[in-house]
Amino acid sequence: MRAKAAFSKEDVFRDMPIPAALRTMVVPAAASQLIVLIYNMADTFFVGQTNNPYMVAGTSLILPVFNITLCLAGLAGVGGGSLISRLLGQKREDEARRVSAFSLYLGLAVAALFSVGAAVFMRPLLGLLGAGENTFEYARQYAMCVIVLGGVPTVLSNVLANLIRSVGLSREASAGIILGGLLNIALDPLFMFVLLPKGDEVLGAGLATCLSNCAALVFFLVVLARLGRGSVITFSPRAGLPEGGSVAAVFGVGVPSAVATLLFDLDYVIIDKLMVSYHDVALAAIGIVLKIERFPLNVGVGICQGMMPLVAYNLTAGNAQRMNGTIRLARRVGLAVAAVSIVLYELLAAPLAGLFIRDAQTVALASQFLRVRVLATPLMFLSFFTVYLFQAFGKGRISLFLGVTRWLVFNIPMLFVLNAVFGMSGIVWAQVTADCLTVLLSLYVYQKYKPAVPQRAA
């Protein structure tokens, strides 16, 4: 199995034509992101079948907190994965193994701490998120399942997916995520409408999500066992501790990745909090929209995830032509996906919103929100595409600057300003307005700070 992994690195990272290499890495990554989206939407879809907007609102409130688990996975998985690809480009496999073990135990530790903290501070946490009398208990049930019980398997499965992808095994990395997503879709109706009594539908959705993430983790552990003791990706403490510079590099990229994800979730929390001041129907509507709009964004994330190991490897291997060709092709594909999504969402906004709830007022409001929010899709892709590039380059400070500026300087202040001036419609338009500024900044930073590729040895 080790020989297969080595062949994958040489062929995909170095020798395969760029379109084929990008397709090999991106298609499984994008497919897994779509499944993640679908199973997140599945909870909202099945809960929406109760026609209870309070249940929909309660589960929507937990989405930002659940996404923090993905932020923690990014700390260890993105930071470790980016470095592993660069180390492989330098032919330093032993150090890559040490970085792998360190990243996995880092992910385990931070996930456990987060889950315990969520359990201890559940009540103030839900109050901060905006849970009211009608939504509190539903939000609590969902959080206990997906955050407290499911936090560790969620984080570890995503860390493993990032690390396995970093050595060129994108198909295996995505298969576990897809397995968990499909299982969640199958278990949702079973727990919600068959095994648990009426009124416990949110609890059933949470249990289904927790169990599906546990199954994904088991799958990845089986993959590691099949790769064997010689694999670059390992849990074995015998690999030893990485060099101090490697630890710094993991955090140097991982912390900006985690912070950017955290600020993205904070943006969602603020949107929810601002919408609560209007009415629960508006909160339910924006909760649906924030999931529907993720379809092209998740595909874009998959493109970036597949692209990142190729860029990182070829940067340190000294192959500037291959690195730049990969970047250009990945950017074009992402923008094409964004353009198609705008057309489809403008035409099908109401039917798509109607898939999640039958309440006419909620559907009307959600379709109105969606037609505006989708206009930001190409801008959002270009923004996080640039962040992923600097993560691949190992330039964590620049990716941190871009992430912090995007959310704390542009997006979040724009939410408050436009809400104060235009009310509820201002909240919806804030993303488009802010990301116009973000893209201009991202293009400037990329042109000024993109790295020079070291000369490849003959």
Side-chain angles (χ1 to χ4, degrees), residues 193-268:
F193 306 121
V194 178
L195 297 181
L196 296 182
K198 185 176 177 60
D200 286 341
E201 288 85 356
V202 171
L203 177 61
L207 288 172
T209 298
C210 178
L211 290 175
S212 67
N213 284 318
C214 289
L217 176 58
V218 170
F219 174 88
F220 285 124
L221 294 177
V222 171
V223 169
L224 287 191
R226 293 184 62 188
L227 287 174
R229 293 183 178 180
S231 170
V232 169
I233 309 304
T234 179
F235 257 113
S236 175
R238 295 180 180 178
L241 291 174
E243 300 172 359
S246 294
V247 173
V250 170
F251 284 102
V253 172
V255 169
S257 173
V259 169
T261 305
L262 180 65
L263 293 176
F264 178 88
D265 295 330
L266 177 62
D267 183 71
Y268 272 29

Side-chain angles (χ1 to χ4, degrees), residues 3 19 30 45 86 104 116 269-270 285 311 317 322 333 340-341 376 419 436 438-439 444:
F45 171 78
R86 296 197 304 277
L104 287 170
V116 171
V269 170
I270 291 172
V311 171
R322 187 172 178 83
V333 172
V340 171
S341 72
N419 177 55
C436 287
T438 303
V439 167
Y444 170 77

Side-chain angles (χ1 to χ4, degrees), residues 316-444:
T316 55
N319 195 335
Q321 182 178 1
R322 187 172 178 83
M323 185 191 78
N324 291 326
T326 300
I327 292 171
R328 287 192 296 268
L329 181 58
R331 185 190 294 119
R332 289 198 298 267
V333 172
L335 289 175
V337 170
V340 171
S341 72
I342 290 177
V343 174
L344 292 178
Y345 283 7
E346 291 293 342
L347 294 175
L348 303 174
L352 289 172
L355 291 175
F356 293 90
I357 195 167
R358 293 186 297 273
D359 179 71
Q361 184 180 4
T362 306
V363 169
L365 205 53
S367 59
Q368 175 187 332
F369 291 168
L370 181 59
R371 289 190 176 99
V372 174
R373 294 269 307 180
V374 73
L375 298 176
T377 304
L379 303 172
M380 294 179 74
F381 171 75
L382 289 174
S383 298
F384 63 69
F385 182 83
T386 309
V387 170
Y388 268 91
L389 281 179
F390 281 105
Q391 290 172 357
F393 299 153
K395 293 182 174 292
R397 290 183 180 179
I398 296 178
S399 66
L400 178 62
F401 167 76
L402 289 174
V404 169
T405 303
R406 180 187 182 193
W407 298 113
L408 294 186
V409 177
F410 296 145
N411 287 60
I412 292 175
M414 196 70 71
L415 280 170
F416 287 103
V417 170
L418 295 189
N419 177 55
V421 176
F422 299 107
M424 189 167 60
S425 63
I427 299 173
V428 181
W429 276 100
Q431 189 75 57
V432 179
T433 308
D435 273 340
C436 287
L437 301 174
T438 303
V439 167
L440 292 176
L441 176 65
S442 297
L443 293 175
Y444 170 77

Side-chain angles (χ1 to χ4, degrees), residues 111-129:
L113 287 174
F114 182 71
S115 294
V116 171
V120 172
F121 299 104
M122 178 67 70
R123 183 168 291 275
L125 174 63
L126 295 183
L128 178 66
L129 293 172

